[in-house]
Structures are given as C-alpha cells and as structure tokens.
Amino acid sequence: MAGQADNRAPYARIAAHYAELIASGQLQPGTLLPSIKNLSEEWKVSTATAEKALRKLRNEGLVRGIHGIGTEVLDQPAPMSSGSQRQDRGRRTGSSWGDGERSDSHKASVVPAPADVAQALDIQPGADVVRRSRVYRDRHGIVAHSTSWIPARYGRMIPQLATSERLTGGTSLQLIAQATGHPISHRIDTASASPLTAEYARLLELDPENPPAEPVVVMTAKFIDSEGNIVEYGVDLGGPGRTWRTESEVSS
C-alpha cells in the first residue's frame, strides 16, 4: 500500500527487490547480480547483510552462485500462491499480486451454490452465492486459476462483488470487513493433489488433446470473521509445473 512502512529486515528488502526484478523479467536468466561488495555499498549495509540477501535468493531457487564468477539469475517459474497467502500479501502491500504477476479473465456472477461450496460456507445447497474467478499469470504462464465463493448477502451489501471487474478499494475480504465492521479473525487452509479433470484443464487453458500427466495442486481457504461467520471460500488450481511453497520464521 502506498506510503506504508516496510518493516522487513534490510536483507529481506534487498532480496525482495531482486526477486521482483527477476519475476518481472527485468533481470533475465543468466544475468549476474551485483557482488556482495557492490550490494553493500549500493544499499549502505554491511557485507554480512548483503551476503544474507543473496543467500535468501539462493534458498528461494531464484539464483545460483558460480565460484569465481558471481551470482547468476535462474530461469524458473514462480510457485503458485494460495488465497491465504494473497490475503496476507494484500494486507501487507495493498495488492494480491506476487512479484511479476498480473491477473485477468475476471468474472463474477450470482449462481446456485454447488454442494461442496454450500458445505464449506454452511449454507443450503442451491442457495445464491457470488462466484468470482480470475487467472493469475506471470511471464511463464498461468500461476493459478482462483475462484472465490461468497454468500449472496455480502453481494447485496457490496454490489461490486458481483461485477466482472477487478475490485477497487481493497480485496473482497477487506471490503466485507469494512461493510460489516467485523474483521477476518481466522482461516482454514487445505492443500491436496487432484487428477487433471476436463474441467480443470479448461480452467487452466490446457490442450485437452495433450494434457500434462502430473496432478493439479488444489488449495482451499475458508475465511471466518470475528462473529464466527464464514464470509468466503476460495479454491485455487495451480498451473502446470507449479508447486506450492510457504516460508516462515523459526524461533529457537
């Protein structure tokens, strides 16, 4: 979000800067990153901090160290992200996009709830729900196809939820929290591998005559507000060749 303070450690800010340049294609595969000494001088940090930033990029699989030459950018698709990770990203940066990502094919409508969606939202099968879908892409192709299922009462409170355009003023969860006065208090995440069905192939824009053999990563996220109301159920399908990755600090 514009003007928001960045409280990350200096090494993390440096790593994030180069991760974004790599993901967006501004740093092409084979490009050498600045040396530890040059990074230290450019960012006005210690050489230990600069080295830690490069190590973080190596750990993320974005670069590799070549003895006697330097640190080289690798060509590797970014991992898919889940709805929960996008919620965290949106709260932190004001955008659900990852480095180098964009979204398109935004569609929204009010539809009867399928049985699995009704169960997730704790509503009656066939009850009205808002279905919002979009495709996240980077320069390698589809990162994920994402669908959000939202109880219709929130669509009546916030009409733009049911319009086939990118939301303005925040994410769906932020808009719902603002409208109801009840913040999102917790969420429930699942991850599984599923065979590539014809419907999944269509959503991921794959050739039905020559589909990939590997299964699809399916991520779900159920978001619950401070009053115990289930406000959204998200389903993300990972693009071909994508894996799911998460990172967290481990305290000793």
Side-chain angles (χ1 to χ4, degrees):
M1 191 174 296
Q4 184 172 347
D6 188 339
N7 295 319
R8 291 174 296 183
Y11 83 91
R13 290 200 300 271
I14 297 170
H17 170 76
Y18 285 101
E20 182 173 355
L21 293 179
I22 292 168
S24 66
Q26 295 180 65
L27 286 178
Q28 292 292 313
T31 303
L32 293 179
L33 295 189
S35 67
I36 291 174
K37 181 176 182 295
N38 289 340
L39 278 178
S40 173
E41 294 173 351
E42 179 182 351
W43 289 81
K44 296 179 173 57
V45 296
S46 68
T47 55
T49 295
E51 184 176 12
K52 191 173 182 180
L54 292 180
R55 184 163 65 246
K56 179 173 173 59
L57 292 170
R58 290 197 301 272
N59 290 342
E60 292 176 354
L62 298 175
V63 302
R64 66 170 179 167
I66 305 176
H67 183 69
I69 296 178
T71 301
E72 180 187 48
V73 174
L74 296 174
D75 188 20
Q76 185 176 12
M80 70 167 288
S81 55
S82 67
S84 295
Q85 288 170 312
R86 293 196 190 101
Q87 182 205 20
D88 291 341
R89 189 184 295 148
R91 187 171 59 244
R92 188 175 65 249
T93 70
S95 172
S96 64
W97 292 344
D99 293 333
E101 282 186 2
R102 67 185 191 280
S103 61
D104 58 34
S105 304
H106 291 258
K107 298 178 182 177
S109 59
V110 178
V111 300
D116 60 325
V117 172
Q119 181 177 8
L121 292 175
D122 195 23
I123 60 177
Q124 290 296 317
D128 283 352
V129 291
V130 176
R131 178 179 62 195
R132 295 188 57 82
S133 64
R134 79 290 291 165
V135 177
Y136 289 90
R137 306 177 194 270
D138 64 12
R139 61 194 177 88
H140 292 278
I142 291 182
V143 176
H145 181 282
S146 180
T147 303
S148 300
W149 302 88
I150 303 169
R153 65 180 180 276
Y154 299 116
R156 291 190 289 270
M157 296 173 65
I158 312 164
Q160 71 161 317
L161 289 178
T163 61
S164 295
E165 298 175 359
R166 284 193 63 210
L167 296 175
T168 58
T171 65
S172 56
L173 293 169
Q174 290 170 330
L175 293 173
I176 292 171
Q178 291 167 10
T180 63
H182 305 313
I184 305 302
S185 62
H186 64 288
R187 68 199 186 203
I188 301 170
D189 300 320
T190 72
S192 61
S194 173
L196 181 67
T197 65
E199 175 64 6
Y200 287 173
R202 182 185 69 81
L203 294 175
L204 294 172
E205 302 173 9
L206 300 174
D207 180 0
E209 302 299 324
N210 188 32
E214 64 265 23
V216 176
V217 178
V218 181
M219 309 286 299
T220 74
K222 185 188 298 186
F223 298 93
I224 303 168
D225 71 13
S226 58
E227 298 295 300
N229 301 305
I230 303 170
V231 302
E232 185 171 318
Y233 175 62
V235 180
D236 288 273
L237 306 177
R242 306 283 175 162
T243 57
W244 180 60
R245 187 185 72 205
T246 183
E247 179 180 342
S248 59
E249 296 290 334
V250 178
S251 57
S252 57

